[in-house]
Amino acid sequence: MIKFFLMVNKQGQTRLSRYYEHVEINKRTVLEAEVIKNCLSRSKDECSFVEYKDFKLVYRQYAALFIVVGIDQTENEMAVYELIHNFVEVLDKYFSRVVSETLNLLQNIFSFKTL
């Protein structure tokens, strides 16, 4: 199961975050800082799967944008890795280039809640 989805720039700023289980706001800040630090500090030669606390991190880098997905131990890492790529391909086709302005639009879309 996916626990959270983050889009982060190279400076470590969270551009988009979506949590699929409840995490308190103050804990989100700490979690995001640690997750970003773990992923951004890795070299391109290292694996894109990282064990972190009680879950796994799967991440991919696209130019100056990192996409990080937190999953539980039972989830297939390769499937999530491919999901990230498919997500970026859809964004690229729809917006022609994934840029910061696109992320602002996505933030509005993801924050929409259905009743």
Side-chain angles (χ1 to χ4, degrees):
M1 184 171 105
I2 295 176
K3 294 180 178 255
F4 60 84
F5 183 92
L6 301 173
M7 292 178 101
V8 180
N9 64 16
K10 272 190 174 178
Q11 290 76 33
Q13 299 167 325
T14 302
R15 303 297 298 162
L16 175 76
S17 66
R18 177 72 173 158
Y19 289 82
Y20 297 99
E21 57 184 36
H22 178 71
V23 179
E24 294 177 18
I25 297 295
N26 56 351
K27 290 185 180 180
R28 285 183 186 189
T29 307
V30 173
L31 174 71
E32 288 176 20
E34 291 175 358
V35 165
I36 291 167
K37 180 181 161 197
N38 279 337
C39 293
L40 268 62
S41 66
R42 297 173 64 85
S43 73
K44 291 186 179 198
D45 297 332
E46 293 182 277
C47 181
S48 294
F49 311 140
V50 181
E51 295 282 334
Y52 178 76
K53 295 189 179 182
D54 60 340
F55 52 89
K56 299 176 195 174
L57 303 174
V58 179
Y59 71 94
R60 284 186 91 152
Q61 180 181 0
Y62 293 92
L65 186 67
F66 283 82
I67 299 177
V68 183
V69 179
I71 58 175
D72 62 16
Q73 297 292 338
T74 61
E75 192 68 49
N76 184 334
E77 298 96 343
M78 287 302 293
V80 174
Y81 191 73
E82 189 63 26
L83 172 76
I84 294 170
H85 185 68
N86 289 337
F87 179 72
V88 171
E89 281 184 342
V90 168
L91 291 178
D92 189 48
K93 285 192 189 265
Y94 188 77
F95 295 106
S96 74
R97 261 188 73 208
V98 179
V99 293
S100 288
E101 294 79 26
T102 304
L103 297 177
N104 292 334
L105 175 64
L106 288 174
Q107 182 67 43
N108 291 334
I109 292 170
F110 277 125
S111 65
F112 178 73
K113 303 222 187 276
T114 57
L115 298 176

